[in-house]
Amino acid sequence: MSLAKILVVDDELSMREMLSNFLKNEGYRVLAVDNGEEAVARVRDEEPQVVLLDMKMAGMDGIETLAQIRELNKDTSIIIITAYGTMGNVVEAMKLGIYDYITKPFDVEKLKRLIERALKAQRLSKQVPSLQQKLEEKYRLENIVGKNPQMFEVYKRIGKVVDNKATVLVTGETGTGKELVARAIHFNGLLKERPFVVVDCASLPQDILESELFGHEKGAFTGAIAKKLGKFEIAHGGTLFLDEVGNLTLAIQAKLLRVLQEKQIQRVGGTKPIKINVRIIAATHRDLEKAVKENSFREDLYYRLNVVLIPLPALRRRKDDIPLLVEHFLRQYRSESKGKIKYVPPETMNLLMNYSWPGNVRELENIIERAVVMGKESTILPEDLPSEISEASYISYPDLTAGKTFLKQRVVNLERKLIIEALEKTGWVQTKAAKLLGISRRIIRYKMQKYGIEKPS
Ligand SMILES: Nc1ncnc2c1ncn2[C@@H]1O[C@H](COP(=O)(O)OP(=O)(O)OP(=O)(O)O)[C@@H](O)[C@H]1O
Ligand SMILES: [Mg+2]
């Protein structure tokens, strides 16, 4: 969403300047003209969302201007400014379709609220309902899958912040769902109709990042051929998601801290402060506390971001959720593959349970998607999984935090691993390996057969 554009129409210079400055400070884009003809032209060319129209002007008067603007543009919200005692005009204006009126002298704060309400009404009427619904649907809290106690703690913390604008810090390894949680907070909360704007602090060179965040004025540096709004301004009234905030350089950290403290920004190359009102959700895979100790992250910024902390557990620390997640992604991709797949047999599930998931939920999601798309059968077989999963599972140590129902499988895996180790150490001489393990030759033979262990050729 871009910033709202407001057209100020008043033949009095001091009024135009006062209104323009005030509205610019509020973060709006402002156009100002001193007569009706010019106003009509600007409405046609620039399509402002709101027009502030003085009723008493020399030349083409307010009512005539209003009628022509309405003719051109049915969507723009017109707020008329009248002198006290000219209510007759207001009634006429109402008939032509204005949003509201305000009488001089007026309180700018009141005007500001009026504009905000007009813009909100526009957004609500303009929203394609299906798109908004889709977003809300997609990020419904029910779509965050997991019933491990650590996930309940996550839900509890999300619940604490959906209905307010507290700053949130989401931490967790790659693929644990940081962005998912950030979006869920936004789309289930107060600000869900306002913009959700993402800045990836890791992917951009830091000098570009600064103008990405704060915008820049025309000519601020070589290549700044036009004024550019920063993400802070674009997110005004909504949520700004600072992804990988741990990757910011100390210089930008200092600037960000100041912005958060003063709640205003300055575009690069600009001199005027611009007020901003955004909810901040930051995310990082880095251990910020450690970064603070190592002096690569500012302590004061850390405390400002870490108002409500939502740490996301690694998938290997909540393996009991794997079957649920598999079912969730199967359902998701099943509908995309027109119901072709699928069932996950226990052999495959065991492999999934034993893998350590360095890429966490994203890795699991990708694997299910691939298996659904590539698999020819209606079941996902072990050979539909990437080799690192089918192979790594046998050499991974049991993870004691995982569900106890899989103890048997884990013991089997460990046993298999130990037998292979013993055989390798003894050059595949079965009697020696058996001795190492404290079992008989007959038993090692039996187990080798059972687990399909063969001397590599
Ligand atoms: N608990 C969960 N339930 C359902 N889906 C999840 C869950 N956690 C993550 N996902 C899915 O996994 C994928 C990765 O999640 P997301 O992008 O939020 O992770 P991230 O922590 O931001 O990763 P990165 O650090 O790589 O940016 C997304 O498709 C997301 O929908
Ligand atoms: Mg992410």
Side-chain angles (χ1 to χ4, degrees), residues 138-139 141-146 151 154-155 170-183 200 241 243-244 283-285 312 318 321 325 328-329 332-333 359-366:
K138 177 151 189 225
Y139 298 111
L141 292 172
E142 299 92 281
N143 284 333
I144 305 181
V145 174
M151 288 307 288
V154 169
Y155 305 146
V170 189
T171 60
E173 291 177 11
T174 179
T176 46
K178 296 184 291 294
E179 183 160 350
L180 178 71
V181 166
R183 287 181 187 271
D200 184 350
F241 178 50
D243 202 3
E244 292 309 344
T284 180
H285 72 279
L312 299 179
R318 57 174 186 114
D321 280 339
L325 284 161
H328 172 75
F329 292 129
Q332 194 168 312
Y333 292 109
N360 293 294
V361 183
R362 175 180 294 111
E363 189 180 10
L364 177 62
E365 177 176 1
N366 289 343

Side-chain angles (χ1 to χ4, degrees), residues 323 349-350 353-354 402-411:
M349 192 59 89
N350 281 342
M353 295 293 289
N354 282 321
K404 46 188 176 300
T405 44
F406 293 87
L407 181 65
K408 228 180 192 161
Q409 180 64 38
R410 282 161 191 288
V411 170

Side-chain angles (χ1 to χ4, degrees), residues 3 36-37 55 73 110 137 148 155 170 189 210 219 247 252 293 307 335 371-372 380 410 425:
L3 275 186
E37 284 89 347
M55 285 306 270
N73 186 329
K110 190 173 164 197
E137 181 100 342
N148 179 284
Y155 305 146
V170 189
E210 186 178 348
N247 288 47
I252 297 202
K293 284 193 194 108
V307 178
S335 56
V372 168
I380 296 179
R410 282 161 191 288
K425 255 197 192 134

